[in-house]
Amino acid sequence: MAGVTLVYLVQHADKRRSPGDPGLTQHGREQATRTGRWLAGQDITALWTSPLRRAQQTAGHIAAATRLTAHRDARLAERLNWDGSIPLDAFLAVWARTSHDRDLVPAGGQSARHAGDRLQDFLASLQHQPGPVAAVTHGGVTIELLRNLLGDDGLPPGLLAAGIPPCAITAIDGQDAVMLASDTHLR
């Protein structure tokens, strides 16, 4: 991935707690606005988003602050999404199994390792994009990318278990993670 521009991977903002494709909470909209202001100060040149509603809404707030148009890319989508067809506890058990066994392919989904590869492919596609750029994505797929790049031992303690906080930013420069799940811009 030599030559890839600096990419700010933005975890979507705080979402409503419901199955399917929930939107943002009021607090999430505020987080997204603050994140957009911070990214405007980083002089980003392009904005990408997952097609899921919570990411698109986050990107909408960032777009307003940066005056950029958000472009959708399915490679930024989450690795698994609770659609309500099974109880939440059962979904969380599948999530845990696929996190532990990164090559396990759940029914109707893809393995965690493949999700990380998919996000890595997105980053590689930005090879000639002038930067920096921002991409609104999801915590699970971002963690799997970091596991690909850093290995489990290279992750900050607790990140795998706790996940990435809403609107936290992970910055990737080439194959180097130069910022991991930072939410200091929200304070």
Side-chain angles (χ1 to χ4, degrees):
M1 285 189 354
V4 173
T5 192
L6 177 65
V7 180
Y8 294 105
L9 295 174
V10 179
Q11 161 74 3
H12 64 77
D14 188 54
K15 66 176 181 165
R16 285 184 276 120
R17 304 295 177 239
S18 60
D21 194 6
L24 300 181
T25 64
Q26 177 60 37
H27 180 62
R29 290 187 289 277
E30 293 165 5
Q31 290 172 323
T33 296
R34 284 195 299 272
T35 301
R37 288 182 191 135
W38 185 85
L39 286 167
Q42 306 310 304
D43 297 322
I44 62 171
T45 61
L47 177 61
W48 300 89
T49 184
S50 157
L52 294 174
R53 181 185 310 174
R54 55 196 178 264
Q56 288 184 59
Q57 289 179 350
T58 301
H61 289 274
I62 293 169
T66 60
R67 297 183 181 186
L68 294 170
T69 300
H71 305 280
R72 291 183 195 171
D73 194 305
R75 294 173 292 182
L76 296 167
E78 185 57 286
R79 67 182 189 86
L80 291 173
N81 194 54
W82 181 48
D83 63 6
S85 64
I86 61 174
L88 179 58
D89 288 346
F91 172 78
L92 294 174
V94 170
W95 185 278
R97 282 195 308 276
T98 59
S99 293
H100 178 72
D101 179 355
R102 294 186 71 211
D103 296 312
L104 177 64
V105 179
Q110 64 181 187
S111 73
R113 188 178 316 276
H114 182 77
D117 292 344
R118 174 171 43 85
L119 186 50
Q120 203 164 356
D121 180 60
F122 169 78
L123 295 175
S125 74
L126 300 176
Q127 196 166 34
H128 301 292
Q129 172 78 39
V133 302
V136 182
T137 187
H138 305 268
V141 69
T142 300
I143 286 175
E144 294 309 323
L145 168 73
L146 292 173
R147 291 174 84 182
N148 284 358
L149 297 176
L150 307 173
D152 287 359
D153 292 340
L155 297 178
L159 184 66
L160 190 56
I164 296 179
C167 269
I169 296 174
T170 297
I172 306 293
D173 189 356
Q175 290 194 34
D176 297 322
V178 295
M179 181 189 315
L180 297 176
S182 173
D183 62 359
T184 58
H185 63 283
L186 296 175
R187 297 185 191 133

